[in-house]
Amino acid sequence: MADCLFCKIIAGEIPSAKVYEDDEVYAFLDITQVTEGHTLVVPKKHVADLFEYDAELASVVFSRLPKIAQALEKAFPEMAGLNVLNNNKELAYQSVFHSHIHLIPRYGKDDDFSIHFGNHMADYPQEKLQAVAEKISKEFPHD
Ligand code: ZN
């Protein structure tokens, strides 16, 4: 896509710190380096976000995650954990609209990455959980 930052990076028109590349996937360091080794994994095919994936593209892109995670683990033996994060649309903190998966190595509780998980369990008794699940599950296409 013409004005896409990540398409330009994949094409080599904009420099990047490449970590991994194959025919379908490109991985490079996020310039913000939330933690050291913070890597973005992107499909070479331009898709804006997860809503534009099909199963085949997902299997291609997500299948690369273990080996990239394993390379990070070897490169940074002090790494104590890894967050995998995929933001979809602006409200969910997506800022470049070429789908990407963040791999964020974790080194300690004060390593400048955190997630807040709210807990609304009290608002969702079993019947309400079932109703929400039904609302979602009826949207799957039937064969
Ligand atoms: Zn793109």
Side-chain angles (χ1 to χ4, degrees), residues 76-94:
F76 303 105
E78 69 277 28
M79 194 175 104
L82 179 76
N83 284 102
V84 176
L85 191 63
N86 171 235
N87 303 329
N88 296 283
K89 303 200 184 288
E90 195 169 358
L91 180 68
Y93 306 111
Q94 185 176 7

Side-chain angles (χ1 to χ4, degrees), residues 109-139:
K109 289 185 176 174
D110 57 353
D111 66 6
D112 207 26
F113 178 79
S114 64
I115 300 177
H116 169 76
F117 281 107
N119 186 331
H120 303 277
M121 197 162 70
D123 300 326
Y124 288 87
Q126 189 60 33
E127 316 80 68
K128 190 169 175 185
L129 276 183
Q130 290 297 342
V132 173
E134 169 67 17
K135 182 177 176 171
I136 299 165
S137 63
K138 74 182 175 71
E139 297 301 333

Side-chain angles (χ1 to χ4, degrees), residues 1-25:
M1 182 175 267
D3 283 322
C4 173
L5 174 63
F6 288 176
C7 283
K8 288 178 180 171
I9 284 175
I10 292 161
E13 295 166 16
I14 292 175
S16 68
K18 183 171 81 176
V19 166
Y20 172 83
E21 180 177 15
D22 62 34
D23 288 346
E24 295 165 303
V25 172

Side-chain angles (χ1 to χ4, degrees), residues 7 10 23-25 42-48 52 54 57 98-99:
C7 283
I10 292 161
D23 288 346
E24 295 165 303
V25 172
V42 304
K44 286 187 169 177
K45 175 184 175 174
H46 180 95
V47 289
E52 293 187 359
D54 58 19
L57 183 62
H98 179 138
S99 178

